[in-house]
Amino acid sequence: MQMRDMKSYLRRVERFFERDDFKLQSEEDKHYWETLDSPNNDGEDWLLKMRRLKHESDYNLFLKSSLGMLYSSLDIALFNIARLVSEITKIDLNPKNYDPKRTKAAFSGDIGTYAKYLIDFHNIDWDDLRVDWMRIDGFRITRNYVIHQGGELESEQLKRFDKIAMTEEGLSRESSSITISAFYLNEMSDLINVFFDKLCKKLDQRVIPNPLIKIKNKTKSQKFILCYADKGKH
């Protein structure tokens, strides 16, 4: 799924679960008042409990799978941007094949490789992106815990995760189990779009010395840009 589609996807599925929760809550309330007069309705009580468990299980699965999808969209988009700007500037090296010297843990994983590629080959000043990137790297670490460990933290990972969760609303843990919310996913989606907007503006200056170059057509002048997040080009 492309980055520009993630926000609408999250909203659409979140609304579905909200409606399902409202409907289930209504049935649970109705059942509660009915049991005051007829307390021996164990069959209906069991069915409602099973439906509630299924609702919670499906919702948690949606959150975890959405986290994976969002990260995959980030990975693909960052690779495509690195590849595109290299094609334009005639650099004959696939970003996936780059093996950078990693002096900082913040540039770990595939997305770290693509970021270092842009820094090393395209002289991108990362200072303005550092704060956003640190949160994105925290998202990467959280994603790895969820996808590769089912959201269950080892004892030596608790301190590292707590440091990430401390600054991210909607991200927490119950004992050693990671808990994520739709709010956290929406925050990460917005953050990634802001990051790409900043990055692509920097890359416009790299690809085109004068970023305000005009392209004439029959009706009007248009500003050429490599990519902007709000245009959905990444």
Side-chain angles (χ1 to χ4, degrees):
M1 183 177 294
Q2 296 185 13
M3 281 300 308
R4 64 174 177 267
D5 300 322
M6 280 301 305
K7 193 77 173 180
S8 61
Y9 165 78
L10 290 171
R11 283 198 303 263
R12 187 168 62 253
V13 182
E14 181 68 14
R15 283 196 296 267
F16 166 81
F17 279 104
E18 287 175 351
R19 289 193 297 268
D20 188 60
D21 180 66
F22 179 79
K23 180 180 178 181
L24 188 54
Q25 185 64 55
S26 298
E27 294 183 28
E28 289 170 337
D29 291 343
K30 179 182 177 182
H31 176 69
Y32 169 78
W33 291 108
E34 288 176 346
T35 55
L36 294 180
D37 298 325
S38 178
N40 296 321
N41 195 358
D42 293 338
E44 182 68 19
D45 186 60
W46 183 85
L47 286 172
L48 283 172
K49 286 181 178 178
M50 291 301 101
R51 286 180 59 193
R52 172 57 67 181
L53 286 173
K54 184 179 185 304
H55 171 86
E56 297 297 337
S57 176
D58 289 348
Y59 185 60
N60 286 330
L61 180 61
F62 152 68
L63 293 175
K64 290 180 179 180
S65 63
S66 296
L67 182 146
M69 290 170 59
L70 180 58
Y71 183 83
S72 294
S73 297
L74 160 67
D75 184 296
I76 293 169
L78 191 56
F79 166 73
N80 284 336
I81 287 173
R83 179 182 54 81
L84 175 60
V85 74
S86 292
E87 289 178 358
I88 294 173
T89 54
K90 308 299 183 183
I91 293 179
D92 187 20
L93 176 63
N94 189 320
K96 286 185 180 293
N97 298 331
Y98 184 47
D99 185 19
K101 294 182 179 179
R102 304 177 194 269
T103 57
K104 296 182 179 179
F107 295 105
S108 299
D110 287 344
I111 62 170
T113 297
Y114 307 147
K116 282 291 291 177
Y117 180 91
L118 291 170
I119 293 169
D120 295 345
F121 283 89
H122 298 287
N123 303 314
I124 298 301
D125 181 0
W126 210 255
D127 288 344
D128 295 342
L129 303 171
R130 194 171 306 281
V131 173
D132 292 340
W133 182 256
M134 292 303 295
R135 292 181 66 194
I136 288 173
D137 191 60
F139 177 61
R140 177 189 65 82
I141 294 169
T142 300
R143 176 263 181 193
N144 287 345
Y145 289 150
V146 170
I147 299 301
H148 299 306
Q149 299 176 200
E152 296 296 324
L153 297 165
E154 302 292 341
S155 58
E156 65 272 14
Q157 297 170 336
L158 297 178
K159 185 176 180 180
R160 187 185 195 190
F161 175 79
D162 287 346
K163 185 177 180 180
I164 296 169
M166 189 182 302
T167 58
E168 298 295 350
E169 187 174 351
L171 179 65
S172 60
R173 64 179 174 91
E174 296 180 5
S175 186
S176 61
S177 299
I178 293 176
T179 300
I180 58 177
S181 69
F183 180 86
Y184 172 67
L185 294 180
N186 279 289
E187 281 287 291
M188 290 299 101
S189 178
D190 290 341
L191 168 68
I192 292 167
N193 278 310
V194 168
F195 166 78
F196 275 127
D197 189 46
K198 294 177 181 177
L199 174 62
C200 289
K201 287 175 181 176
K202 287 179 176 292
L203 288 171
D204 278 342
Q205 298 171 4
R206 167 71 177 94
V207 174
I208 305 173
N210 176 8
L212 297 181
I213 187 171
K214 300 293 184 177
I215 299 176
K216 298 290 186 179
N217 62 23
K218 294 181 180 179
T219 58
K220 60 181 179 180
S221 297
Q222 295 181 330
K223 185 190 298 183
F224 176 82
I225 57 175
L226 175 65
C227 51
Y228 280 137
D230 58 350
K231 298 295 185 182
K233 297 298 184 183
H234 56 262

PDB file of all heavy atoms in Angstrom, residues 63-93:
ATOM      1  N   LEU A  63      -4.443  -3.662  14.233  1.00  0.00           N
ATOM      2  CA  LEU A  63      -3.436  -2.687  14.619  1.00  0.00           C
ATOM      3  C   LEU A  63      -2.027  -3.180  14.278  1.00  0.00           C
ATOM      4  O   LEU A  63      -1.214  -2.438  13.726  1.00  0.00           O
ATOM      5  CB  LEU A  63      -3.532  -2.389  16.118  1.00  0.00           C
ATOM      6  CG  LEU A  63      -4.794  -1.654  16.585  1.00  0.00           C
ATOM      7  CD1 LEU A  63      -4.809  -1.543  18.101  1.00  0.00           C
ATOM      8  CD2 LEU A  63      -4.910  -0.276  15.949  1.00  0.00           C
ATOM      9  N   LYS A  64      -1.753  -4.453  14.593  1.00  0.00           N
ATOM     10  CA  LYS A  64      -0.417  -4.990  14.342  1.00  0.00           C
ATOM     11  C   LYS A  64      -0.128  -5.117  12.850  1.00  0.00           C
ATOM     12  O   LYS A  64       0.971  -4.802  12.386  1.00  0.00           O
ATOM     13  CB  LYS A  64      -0.269  -6.348  15.032  1.00  0.00           C
ATOM     14  CG  LYS A  64      -0.205  -6.244  16.547  1.00  0.00           C
ATOM     15  CD  LYS A  64      -0.053  -7.608  17.203  1.00  0.00           C
ATOM     16  CE  LYS A  64       0.036  -7.472  18.718  1.00  0.00           C
ATOM     17  NZ  LYS A  64       0.179  -8.792  19.381  1.00  0.00           N
ATOM     18  N   SER A  65      -1.126  -5.568  12.086  1.00  0.00           N
ATOM     19  CA  SER A  65      -0.912  -5.694  10.640  1.00  0.00           C
ATOM     20  C   SER A  65      -0.785  -4.316   9.997  1.00  0.00           C
ATOM     21  O   SER A  65       0.000  -4.131   9.061  1.00  0.00           O
ATOM     22  CB  SER A  65      -2.051  -6.494   9.999  1.00  0.00           C
ATOM     23  OG  SER A  65      -3.295  -5.829  10.152  1.00  0.00           O
ATOM     24  N   SER A  66      -1.525  -3.330  10.497  1.00  0.00           N
ATOM     25  CA  SER A  66      -1.435  -1.971   9.962  1.00  0.00           C
ATOM     26  C   SER A  66      -0.072  -1.368  10.245  1.00  0.00           C
ATOM     27  O   SER A  66       0.478  -0.627   9.421  1.00  0.00           O
ATOM     28  CB  SER A  66      -2.536  -1.086  10.559  1.00  0.00           C
ATOM     29  OG  SER A  66      -3.814  -1.547  10.171  1.00  0.00           O
ATOM     30  N   LEU A  67       0.480  -1.659  11.426  1.00  0.00           N
ATOM     31  CA  LEU A  67       1.825  -1.195  11.741  1.00  0.00           C
ATOM     32  C   LEU A  67       2.822  -1.754  10.734  1.00  0.00           C
ATOM     33  O   LEU A  67       3.685  -1.026  10.228  1.00  0.00           O
ATOM     34  CB  LEU A  67       2.191  -1.613  13.169  1.00  0.00           C
ATOM     35  CG  LEU A  67       3.559  -1.170  13.706  1.00  0.00           C
ATOM     36  CD1 LEU A  67       3.476  -0.883  15.199  1.00  0.00           C
ATOM     37  CD2 LEU A  67       4.626  -2.224  13.461  1.00  0.00           C
ATOM     38  N   GLY A  68       2.697  -3.047  10.424  1.00  0.00           N
ATOM     39  CA  GLY A  68       3.584  -3.660   9.434  1.00  0.00           C
ATOM     40  C   GLY A  68       3.414  -3.049   8.055  1.00  0.00           C
ATOM     41  O   GLY A  68       4.401  -2.803   7.343  1.00  0.00           O
ATOM     42  N   MET A  69       2.168  -2.787   7.660  1.00  0.00           N
ATOM     43  CA  MET A  69       1.899  -2.191   6.359  1.00  0.00           C
ATOM     44  C   MET A  69       2.465  -0.783   6.268  1.00  0.00           C
ATOM     45  O   MET A  69       3.029  -0.385   5.238  1.00  0.00           O
ATOM     46  CB  MET A  69       0.396  -2.177   6.093  1.00  0.00           C
ATOM     47  CG  MET A  69      -0.215  -3.542   5.850  1.00  0.00           C
ATOM     48  SD  MET A  69      -2.025  -3.503   5.832  1.00  0.00           S
ATOM     49  CE  MET A  69      -2.321  -2.354   4.487  1.00  0.00           C
ATOM     50  N   LEU A  70       2.313  -0.019   7.343  1.00  0.00           N
ATOM     51  CA  LEU A  70       2.821   1.356   7.350  1.00  0.00           C
ATOM     52  C   LEU A  70       4.336   1.372   7.218  1.00  0.00           C
ATOM     53  O   LEU A  70       4.899   2.162   6.455  1.00  0.00           O
ATOM     54  CB  LEU A  70       2.381   2.063   8.639  1.00  0.00           C
ATOM     55  CG  LEU A  70       2.828   3.517   8.807  1.00  0.00           C
ATOM     56  CD1 LEU A  70       2.330   4.383   7.652  1.00  0.00           C
ATOM     57  CD2 LEU A  70       2.319   4.070  10.149  1.00  0.00           C
ATOM     58  N   TYR A  71       4.991   0.474   7.935  1.00  0.00           N
ATOM     59  CA  TYR A  71       6.448   0.420   7.841  1.00  0.00           C
ATOM     60  C   TYR A  71       6.893  -0.015   6.446  1.00  0.00           C
ATOM     61  O   TYR A  71       7.863   0.525   5.895  1.00  0.00           O
ATOM     62  CB  TYR A  71       7.027  -0.534   8.893  1.00  0.00           C
ATOM     63  CG  TYR A  71       8.535  -0.552   8.872  1.00  0.00           C
ATOM     64  CD1 TYR A  71       9.274   0.418   9.544  1.00  0.00           C
ATOM     65  CD2 TYR A  71       9.228  -1.510   8.140  1.00  0.00           C
ATOM     66  CE1 TYR A  71      10.654   0.431   9.502  1.00  0.00           C
ATOM     67  CE2 TYR A  71      10.618  -1.512   8.088  1.00  0.00           C
ATOM     68  CZ  TYR A  71      11.318  -0.539   8.776  1.00  0.00           C
ATOM     69  OH  TYR A  71      12.690  -0.529   8.709  1.00  0.00           O
ATOM     70  N   SER A  72       6.206  -0.985   5.862  1.00  0.00           N
ATOM     71  CA  SER A  72       6.547  -1.427   4.504  1.00  0.00           C
ATOM     72  C   SER A  72       6.394  -0.293   3.504  1.00  0.00           C
ATOM     73  O   SER A  72       7.208  -0.140   2.592  1.00  0.00           O
ATOM     74  CB  SER A  72       5.661  -2.610   4.094  1.00  0.00           C
ATOM     75  OG  SER A  72       5.930  -3.748   4.893  1.00  0.00           O
ATOM     76  N   SER A  73       5.340   0.521   3.672  1.00  0.00           N
ATOM     77  CA  SER A  73       5.133   1.671   2.791  1.00  0.00           C
ATOM     78  C   SER A  73       6.273   2.667   2.933  1.00  0.00           C
ATOM     79  O   SER A  73       6.752   3.235   1.946  1.00  0.00           O
ATOM     80  CB  SER A  73       3.796   2.350   3.114  1.00  0.00           C
ATOM     81  OG  SER A  73       2.712   1.477   2.867  1.00  0.00           O
ATOM     82  N   LEU A  74       6.720   2.891   4.167  1.00  0.00           N
ATOM     83  CA  LEU A  74       7.863   3.767   4.419  1.00  0.00           C
ATOM     84  C   LEU A  74       9.113   3.232   3.736  1.00  0.00           C
ATOM     85  O   LEU A  74       9.830   3.975   3.052  1.00  0.00           O
ATOM     86  CB  LEU A  74       8.088   3.866   5.930  1.00  0.00           C
ATOM     87  CG  LEU A  74       9.468   4.337   6.408  1.00  0.00           C
ATOM     88  CD1 LEU A  74       9.698   5.793   6.018  1.00  0.00           C
ATOM     89  CD2 LEU A  74       9.594   4.157   7.917  1.00  0.00           C
ATOM     90  N   ASP A  75       9.387   1.952   3.911  1.00  0.00           N
ATOM     91  CA  ASP A  75      10.573   1.320   3.337  1.00  0.00           C
ATOM     92  C   ASP A  75      10.580   1.452   1.817  1.00  0.00           C
ATOM     93  O   ASP A  75      11.583   1.871   1.211  1.00  0.00           O
ATOM     94  CB  ASP A  75      10.592  -0.152   3.756  1.00  0.00           C
ATOM     95  CG  ASP A  75      11.835  -0.889   3.297  1.00  0.00           C
ATOM     96  OD1 ASP A  75      12.029  -1.027   2.070  1.00  0.00           O
ATOM     97  OD2 ASP A  75      12.605  -1.356   4.149  1.00  0.00           O
ATOM     98  N   ILE A  76       9.472   1.109   1.194  1.00  0.00           N
ATOM     99  CA  ILE A  76       9.378   1.151  -0.267  1.00  0.00           C
ATOM    100  C   ILE A  76       9.502   2.580  -0.791  1.00  0.00           C
ATOM    101  O   ILE A  76      10.197   2.844  -1.780  1.00  0.00           O
ATOM    102  CB  ILE A  76       8.056   0.512  -0.738  1.00  0.00           C
ATOM    103  CG1 ILE A  76       8.059  -0.986  -0.430  1.00  0.00           C
ATOM    104  CG2 ILE A  76       7.826   0.752  -2.230  1.00  0.00           C
ATOM    105  CD1 ILE A  76       6.707  -1.656  -0.604  1.00  0.00           C
ATOM    106  N   ALA A  77       8.833   3.512  -0.106  1.00  0.00           N
ATOM    107  CA  ALA A  77       8.857   4.906  -0.558  1.00  0.00           C
ATOM    108  C   ALA A  77      10.262   5.495  -0.468  1.00  0.00           C
ATOM    109  O   ALA A  77      10.719   6.184  -1.388  1.00  0.00           O
ATOM    110  CB  ALA A  77       7.881   5.742   0.276  1.00  0.00           C
ATOM    111  N   LEU A  78      10.969   5.207   0.636  1.00  0.00           N
ATOM    112  CA  LEU A  78      12.311   5.758   0.793  1.00  0.00           C
ATOM    113  C   LEU A  78      13.275   5.161  -0.237  1.00  0.00           C
ATOM    114  O   LEU A  78      14.122   5.869  -0.795  1.00  0.00           O
ATOM    115  CB  LEU A  78      12.819   5.494   2.217  1.00  0.00           C
ATOM    116  CG  LEU A  78      14.088   6.232   2.636  1.00  0.00           C
ATOM    117  CD1 LEU A  78      13.917   7.746   2.461  1.00  0.00           C
ATOM    118  CD2 LEU A  78      14.438   5.906   4.085  1.00  0.00           C
ATOM    119  N   PHE A  79      13.127   3.871  -0.509  1.00  0.00           N
ATOM    120  CA  PHE A  79      13.953   3.243  -1.546  1.00  0.00           C
ATOM    121  C   PHE A  79      13.673   3.862  -2.910  1.00  0.00           C
ATOM    122  O   PHE A  79      14.597   4.178  -3.666  1.00  0.00           O
ATOM    123  CB  PHE A  79      13.693   1.740  -1.603  1.00  0.00           C
ATOM    124  CG  PHE A  79      14.235   1.086  -2.849  1.00  0.00           C
ATOM    125  CD1 PHE A  79      15.603   0.888  -3.006  1.00  0.00           C
ATOM    126  CD2 PHE A  79      13.385   0.715  -3.886  1.00  0.00           C
ATOM    127  CE1 PHE A  79      16.107   0.310  -4.167  1.00  0.00           C
ATOM    128  CE2 PHE A  79      13.884   0.141  -5.047  1.00  0.00           C
ATOM    129  CZ  PHE A  79      15.252  -0.068  -5.187  1.00  0.00           C
ATOM    130  N   ASN A  80      12.388   4.029  -3.247  1.00  0.00           N
ATOM    131  CA  ASN A  80      12.035   4.576  -4.562  1.00  0.00           C
ATOM    132  C   ASN A  80      12.553   5.994  -4.743  1.00  0.00           C
ATOM    133  O   ASN A  80      12.979   6.375  -5.839  1.00  0.00           O
ATOM    134  CB  ASN A  80      10.519   4.534  -4.747  1.00  0.00           C
ATOM    135  CG  ASN A  80      10.012   3.137  -5.056  1.00  0.00           C
ATOM    136  OD1 ASN A  80      10.753   2.296  -5.564  1.00  0.00           O
ATOM    137  ND2 ASN A  80       8.757   2.872  -4.754  1.00  0.00           N
ATOM    138  N   ILE A  81      12.528   6.779  -3.673  1.00  0.00           N
ATOM    139  CA  ILE A  81      13.049   8.144  -3.758  1.00  0.00           C
ATOM    140  C   ILE A  81      14.556   8.130  -3.990  1.00  0.00           C
ATOM    141  O   ILE A  81      15.080   8.857  -4.845  1.00  0.00           O
ATOM    142  CB  ILE A  81      12.696   8.932  -2.478  1.00  0.00           C
ATOM    143  CG1 ILE A  81      11.203   9.262  -2.469  1.00  0.00           C
ATOM    144  CG2 ILE A  81      13.519  10.208  -2.378  1.00  0.00           C
ATOM    145  CD1 ILE A  81      10.718   9.892  -1.185  1.00  0.00           C
ATOM    146  N   ALA A  82      15.262   7.274  -3.235  1.00  0.00           N
ATOM    147  CA  ALA A  82      16.721   7.173  -3.417  1.00  0.00           C
ATOM    148  C   ALA A  82      17.063   6.703  -4.827  1.00  0.00           C
ATOM    149  O   ALA A  82      17.993   7.214  -5.461  1.00  0.00           O
ATOM    150  CB  ALA A  82      17.298   6.216  -2.372  1.00  0.00           C
ATOM    151  N   ARG A  83      16.307   5.747  -5.326  1.00  0.00           N
ATOM    152  CA  ARG A  83      16.551   5.223  -6.676  1.00  0.00           C
ATOM    153  C   ARG A  83      16.254   6.284  -7.733  1.00  0.00           C
ATOM    154  O   ARG A  83      17.023   6.463  -8.688  1.00  0.00           O
ATOM    155  CB  ARG A  83      15.682   3.987  -6.912  1.00  0.00           C
ATOM    156  CG  ARG A  83      15.825   3.363  -8.303  1.00  0.00           C
ATOM    157  CD  ARG A  83      14.898   2.180  -8.455  1.00  0.00           C
ATOM    158  NE  ARG A  83      13.521   2.518  -8.144  1.00  0.00           N
ATOM    159  CZ  ARG A  83      12.684   3.123  -8.991  1.00  0.00           C
ATOM    160  NH1 ARG A  83      13.111   3.487 -10.192  1.00  0.00           N
ATOM    161  NH2 ARG A  83      11.448   3.388  -8.633  1.00  0.00           N
ATOM    162  N   LEU A  84      15.149   6.999  -7.568  1.00  0.00           N
ATOM    163  CA  LEU A  84      14.750   7.993  -8.553  1.00  0.00           C
ATOM    164  C   LEU A  84      15.757   9.134  -8.654  1.00  0.00           C
ATOM    165  O   LEU A  84      16.166   9.525  -9.753  1.00  0.00           O
ATOM    166  CB  LEU A  84      13.363   8.552  -8.204  1.00  0.00           C
ATOM    167  CG  LEU A  84      12.849   9.696  -9.085  1.00  0.00           C
ATOM    168  CD1 LEU A  84      12.733   9.251 -10.537  1.00  0.00           C
ATOM    169  CD2 LEU A  84      11.513  10.213  -8.567  1.00  0.00           C
ATOM    170  N   VAL A  85      16.176   9.659  -7.511  1.00  0.00           N
ATOM    171  CA  VAL A  85      17.102  10.786  -7.560  1.00  0.00           C
ATOM    172  C   VAL A  85      18.452  10.353  -8.122  1.00  0.00           C
ATOM    173  O   VAL A  85      19.151  11.139  -8.778  1.00  0.00           O
ATOM    174  CB  VAL A  85      17.244  11.429  -6.155  1.00  0.00           C
ATOM    175  CG1 VAL A  85      18.073  10.559  -5.220  1.00  0.00           C
ATOM    176  CG2 VAL A  85      17.863  12.818  -6.255  1.00  0.00           C
ATOM    177  N   SER A  86      18.817   9.088  -7.925  1.00  0.00           N
ATOM    178  CA  SER A  86      20.071   8.585  -8.495  1.00  0.00           C
ATOM    179  C   SER A  86      19.970   8.422 -10.007  1.00  0.00           C
ATOM    180  O   SER A  86      20.932   8.654 -10.738  1.00  0.00           O
ATOM    181  CB  SER A  86      20.444   7.246  -7.839  1.00  0.00           C
ATOM    182  OG  SER A  86      20.780   7.448  -6.487  1.00  0.00           O
ATOM    183  N   GLU A  87      18.802   8.001 -10.488  1.00  0.00           N
ATOM    184  CA  GLU A  87      18.594   7.914 -11.930  1.00  0.00           C
ATOM    185  C   GLU A  87      18.697   9.289 -12.570  1.00  0.00           C
ATOM    186  O   GLU A  87      19.303   9.454 -13.632  1.00  0.00           O
ATOM    187  CB  GLU A  87      17.235   7.289 -12.226  1.00  0.00           C
ATOM    188  CG  GLU A  87      17.155   5.794 -11.914  1.00  0.00           C
ATOM    189  CD  GLU A  87      15.768   5.235 -12.178  1.00  0.00           C
ATOM    190  OE1 GLU A  87      14.866   6.013 -12.562  1.00  0.00           O
ATOM    191  OE2 GLU A  87      15.580   4.011 -12.002  1.00  0.00           O
ATOM    192  N   ILE A  88      18.123  10.279 -11.916  1.00  0.00           N
ATOM    193  CA  ILE A  88      18.143  11.634 -12.466  1.00  0.00           C
ATOM    194  C   ILE A  88      19.559  12.191 -12.487  1.00  0.00           C
ATOM    195  O   ILE A  88      19.974  12.866 -13.436  1.00  0.00           O
ATOM    196  CB  ILE A  88      17.210  12.556 -11.643  1.00  0.00           C
ATOM    197  CG1 ILE A  88      15.748  12.108 -11.808  1.00  0.00           C
ATOM    198  CG2 ILE A  88      17.375  14.014 -12.065  1.00  0.00           C
ATOM    199  CD1 ILE A  88      14.781  12.838 -10.912  1.00  0.00           C
ATOM    200  N   THR A  89      20.326  11.901 -11.435  1.00  0.00           N
ATOM    201  CA  THR A  89      21.683  12.444 -11.337  1.00  0.00           C
ATOM    202  C   THR A  89      22.747  11.500 -11.890  1.00  0.00           C
ATOM    203  O   THR A  89      23.950  11.741 -11.714  1.00  0.00           O
ATOM    204  CB  THR A  89      22.007  12.768  -9.862  1.00  0.00           C
ATOM    205  OG1 THR A  89      21.784  11.595  -9.055  1.00  0.00           O
ATOM    206  CG2 THR A  89      21.145  13.897  -9.354  1.00  0.00           C
ATOM    207  N   LYS A  90      22.307  10.399 -12.522  1.00  0.00           N
ATOM    208  CA  LYS A  90      23.210   9.478 -13.225  1.00  0.00           C
ATOM    209  C   LYS A  90      24.207   8.782 -12.282  1.00  0.00           C
ATOM    210  O   LYS A  90      25.369   8.569 -12.635  1.00  0.00           O
ATOM    211  CB  LYS A  90      23.988  10.205 -14.325  1.00  0.00           C
ATOM    212  CG  LYS A  90      23.119  10.997 -15.292  1.00  0.00           C
ATOM    213  CD  LYS A  90      22.134  10.115 -16.037  1.00  0.00           C
ATOM    214  CE  LYS A  90      21.332  10.919 -17.061  1.00  0.00           C
ATOM    215  NZ  LYS A  90      20.308  10.102 -17.750  1.00  0.00           N
ATOM    216  N   ILE A  91      23.754   8.420 -11.099  1.00  0.00           N
ATOM    217  CA  ILE A  91      24.582   7.632 -10.187  1.00  0.00           C
ATOM    218  C   ILE A  91      24.201   6.170 -10.349  1.00  0.00           C
ATOM    219  O   ILE A  91      23.069   5.778 -10.078  1.00  0.00           O
ATOM    220  CB  ILE A  91      24.404   8.094  -8.731  1.00  0.00           C
ATOM    221  CG1 ILE A  91      24.959   9.497  -8.552  1.00  0.00           C
ATOM    222  CG2 ILE A  91      25.078   7.120  -7.764  1.00  0.00           C
ATOM    223  CD1 ILE A  91      24.811  10.055  -7.153  1.00  0.00           C
ATOM    224  N   ASP A  92      25.143   5.381 -10.801  1.00  0.00           N
ATOM    225  CA  ASP A  92      24.856   3.996 -11.168  1.00  0.00           C
ATOM    226  C   ASP A  92      25.133   3.053  -9.998  1.00  0.00           C
ATOM    227  O   ASP A  92      26.084   2.270 -10.007  1.00  0.00           O
ATOM    228  CB  ASP A  92      25.700   3.595 -12.382  1.00  0.00           C
ATOM    229  CG  ASP A  92      25.309   2.221 -12.918  1.00  0.00           C
ATOM    230  OD1 ASP A  92      24.187   1.771 -12.613  1.00  0.00           O
ATOM    231  OD2 ASP A  92      26.127   1.593 -13.613  1.00  0.00           O
ATOM    232  N   LEU A  93      24.289   3.150  -8.971  1.00  0.00           N
ATOM    233  CA  LEU A  93      24.387   2.234  -7.830  1.00  0.00           C
ATOM    234  C   LEU A  93      23.007   2.060  -7.220  1.00  0.00           C
ATOM    235  O   LEU A  93      22.374   3.031  -6.804  1.00  0.00           O
ATOM    236  CB  LEU A  93      25.356   2.765  -6.769  1.00  0.00           C
ATOM    237  CG  LEU A  93      25.451   1.921  -5.485  1.00  0.00           C
ATOM    238  CD1 LEU A  93      25.987   0.519  -5.797  1.00  0.00           C
ATOM    239  CD2 LEU A  93      26.335   2.604  -4.440  1.00  0.00           C
TER     240      LEU A  93
END
